[in-house]
Amino acid sequence: MWQRLAGLVLKYRKLLLVILLLITGVMGYFASHIQLSYEFSKAIPTDNPRYQEYLSFKKKFGDDGNVLVLGVQTKDFFKAENFNQFSQLGLKLQSIPYVENVLSVANAVNLLKDSSTQKLITQPVFSDTRNQSEIEHGETILYRLPFYNGLLYNKQTDAYLMIVRINKDVLNSKGRTKVINNILAASNSFTASTNIQVHLSGLPLIRTQVADRIAKEMKWFIVGSLALSALILLILFRSLVTMALSLSVVLIGVTWSVGLTYLLGYKITLLTALIPPLIVVIGIPNCIYFLNKYHTTYRQTNDKNASLIAMVSKMGVVTLFCNITAAIGFAVFALTNSAILKEFGQVAGIGIMFIFLISFILLPAALSFMKAPVASQLKYLDFKAIIQFLLKIEQWVFNHQRIVYLLTGLLIIFSLFGMAKIRSEGFIVDDLPKDDKIYKDLKFFENNFKGVMPLEIIVDTKKRGGLSGARILPVLKKMDSLSLYITGQPEMSRPLSVAEGMKFVKEGFYEGDSSNYSLPNTFDLAFIGDYLKGAKTSTNNNSPSSLLNSFMDTAHESTRMSINMADVGTRKLPLILNALHKKSDQLFDSSKYKITYTGSTITFLEGSAFIIEGLKESILWAFLFISLCMLYLFKSVRILLCSLIPNLIPLVVTAGIMGWAGVRLKPSTVLVFSIALGIAVDVTIRFLVNYKQELPTNNNNIAATIGQTINQTGLSIIYTSMVLIAGFIIFCFSGFGGTQSLGWLTSITLLLATLANLILLPVLLLNFTKIKKK
């Protein structure tokens, strides 16, 4: 069959090359329209209850992930030159397109009672003239208003905050980069004028800058993997034409994979950005194996056409199954419930099969038009250092089998102790290095304002108008009790809610006396109600009366409590939420109220949990499907067991290294195991296929066949392993910790898998396989 396919490829080579080029042109067109993804919630299935609650919250109250914060810390904040520059910064930000609202101490307002009109009017805390004496007067007023304490300033640490709300639609488009860059430019201008450092954080900033870095890294990784592969190919084959041919295979594969991403309706995410360099890393070994077989056969026969047919017929089935197992290692992610993993699994799995099809057609077709290889291009077949290394391996396999088993056992014991130390934990900015400005600025807000990650609590009265008139008072008391509990927690700031707004209103009604910053009673509400109706007509978006409206739905049935909290991680967040649930259950009767916890922080937690669980499941699916492929290919349970052991041990050792090195189990690190299993099995298949092919020629002499297989297949195995390891090491230069871990952990796994398949696998074959005599 494979010989007939080889003949067909060579017979219709021109037609196949034209079709290949046409498809590449079409895929290139689609690839040019690919876009970046700015979403964090795609890790959660759309039918997940938590995700549905989050969508319901956004429908009622708007997006919670569109707030960016700027912070400064200085004892000289209220000096005229600094304060006025800070005020000007707010005006600059307000003028940026798609910035909807800016709130800071500079434009903070006070509520005052106007008895003549029976209205609560808003008055700026700081006057427009703003000389030093007026600024100091405003400072005195500001510190008498408890509403802003902890929200816009922290007097103990001399830290001051500016809240910027950005249009939610632009945040889901590529226009967000321009908005964020304009905000950064304005803050840099403030720093240049005052020499005061501006700290920026919030989900819009984090998402935008992370997405932009992904796009840049994707380009550099493709260039880096291509350059490294080109160097290895040039050293190996000593031919620019052969190097260019191999690079053409992977470049076409990259084009097809990016085009496929667009055709499936997906965008570039932190995961799908890894696919192009992965295609390069996986595609180059295909080329090496095909070319190695072509060169080996040509040196034996000196017949170019026969060598091409032998290359396709002998290596076609091997490469097909190698690529199938590699594709399985990725495609199993499509079986998870996580949308972002499904996308990655589908594109990567299909992309790897694309690379097989491309190499199967392009290599023999192109080589048929090229000159036969010259002696200098075949020198690598006699590379003395590798040949000596393979002879050493052969000696170990035949003469030191007990030592091989002993070292393997010790390595497993060492790894099992390390595995016991593994912790599963993820953070929103987990993949950023500790010295990155995004990370350091986030810590600034956690130290001074307890964080900026949004958490929302929805109080639903279960009846329309349940928050109208006097009916709101018992709800406010319960909310205030919950608010006091939350404020006492070190990871959460004072919640912003209707309860805090009503305290401010009462304080304003009683002539700004801070001792009256408390919830109104029935008597207060009877008088405040008329004044509050007047305040609702205010056009100032920063007025507490306007904020009151944004914290209740139109039916006055439910209200929200908005909390900013620290990035506490996936281990601590459930404990915090459980404590909140217990407190809210004590305060709110479940027959009368429904309490919902939601927000971007919750969806992140749920998404991380889905990804980690999905990746754990994917390893089992990959193991099952790869085992079935191996069983079908070799039709022997003994050989199946012998083949799986050398591939499972490197995974166990890698997990042990993670435990000893303190690498946490998170989405980016769990990814290592399925990928490494799918790729490492390639080595096993190539070794065993050669073993099965050569066994009859050696009169079923297992020892002689194993020795021959080590020396024949070992050369190409070592070369391809070098390419794979070098390709993954490129990821170590990423700016994301998770991608770095993926790089060095996968490289270690592949190195161990190569040694295990060259040493442990032959030892197992010698001891546990027998030939049935006819």
Side-chain angles (χ1 to χ4, degrees), residues 232-233 236-237 281-297 299 311 314-315 318-319 322 378-383 385-387 389-390 393 679-680 682-691 693-694 708-725 750 754-755 757-758:
I232 293 174
L233 289 168
L236 177 61
F237 298 118
V281 169
I282 294 169
I284 291 295
N286 278 10
C287 300
I288 291 176
Y289 278 117
F290 272 117
L291 290 168
N292 179 250
K293 190 64 179 178
Y294 172 57
H295 290 158
T296 304
T297 309
R299 190 165 71 168
M311 176 186 80
K314 290 285 187 180
M315 298 309 298
V318 181
T319 306
C322 286
L378 305 178
K379 282 185 178 180
Y380 75 95
L381 297 173
D382 301 314
F383 192 12
I386 294 181
I387 291 173
F389 177 69
L390 292 173
I393 286 178
I679 296 175
D682 291 4
V683 178
T684 309
I685 291 175
R686 297 187 193 278
F687 188 95
L688 289 174
V689 167
N690 188 277
Y691 167 78
Q693 288 175 346
E694 298 299 331
Q708 186 178 339
T709 304
I710 290 173
N711 287 285
Q712 282 187 354
T713 314
L715 185 70
S716 56
I717 285 175
I718 289 173
Y719 277 128
T720 52
S721 296
M722 286 169 57
V723 172
L724 287 167
I725 292 168
L750 293 175
T754 300
L755 294 174
N757 279 290
L758 286 175

Side-chain angles (χ1 to χ4, degrees), residues 104-122:
S104 72
V105 295
N107 64 347
V109 296
N110 191 10
L111 281 179
L112 297 174
K113 180 174 71 173
D114 187 346
S115 301
S116 61
T117 60
Q118 288 195 331
K119 291 182 181 180
L120 283 174
I121 60 172
T122 58

Side-chain angles (χ1 to χ4, degrees), residues 621-637:
W621 282 113
F623 181 76
L624 174 63
F625 288 138
I626 289 172
S627 299
L628 292 174
C629 283
M630 302 282 275
L631 188 60
Y632 173 79
L633 187 60
F634 301 114
K635 297 178 175 60
S636 168
V637 175

Side-chain angles (χ1 to χ4, degrees), residues 593-736:
Y593 304 98
K594 179 185 176 183
I595 310 301
T596 304
Y597 293 82
T598 187
S600 297
T601 303
I602 300 289
T603 56
F604 164 76
L605 169 68
E606 199 76 7
S608 293
F610 264 99
I611 288 176
I612 291 175
E613 289 304 314
L615 288 170
K616 289 178 181 177
E617 290 177 14
S618 72
I619 295 171
L620 297 176
W621 282 113
F623 181 76
L624 174 63
F625 288 138
I626 289 172
S627 299
L628 292 174
C629 283
M630 302 282 275
L631 188 60
Y632 173 79
L633 187 60
F634 301 114
K635 297 178 175 60
S636 168
V637 175
R638 285 188 178 183
I639 289 183
L640 172 65
L641 294 175
C642 289
S643 66
L644 291 177
I645 291 172
N647 289 291
L648 289 177
I649 290 174
L651 299 182
V652 173
V653 174
T654 301
I657 291 172
M658 286 175 60
W660 288 112
V663 178
R664 296 189 306 272
L665 202 63
K666 52 186 179 180
S668 51
T669 51
V670 179
L671 198 66
V672 170
F673 299 100
S674 290
I675 293 175
L677 178 62
I679 296 175
V681 168
D682 291 4
V683 178
T684 309
I685 291 175
R686 297 187 193 278
F687 188 95
L688 289 174
V689 167
N690 188 277
Y691 167 78
K692 294 282 283 184
Q693 288 175 346
E694 298 299 331
L695 193 60
T697 63
N698 288 289
N699 296 319
N700 292 330
N701 186 321
I702 294 176
T705 306
I706 286 175
Q708 186 178 339
T709 304
I710 290 173
N711 287 285
Q712 282 187 354
T713 314
L715 185 70
S716 56
I717 285 175
I718 289 173
Y719 277 128
T720 52
S721 296
M722 286 169 57
V723 172
L724 287 167
I725 292 168
F728 278 99
I729 282 177
I730 287 177
F731 294 138
C732 295
F733 297 97
S734 169
F736 299 100

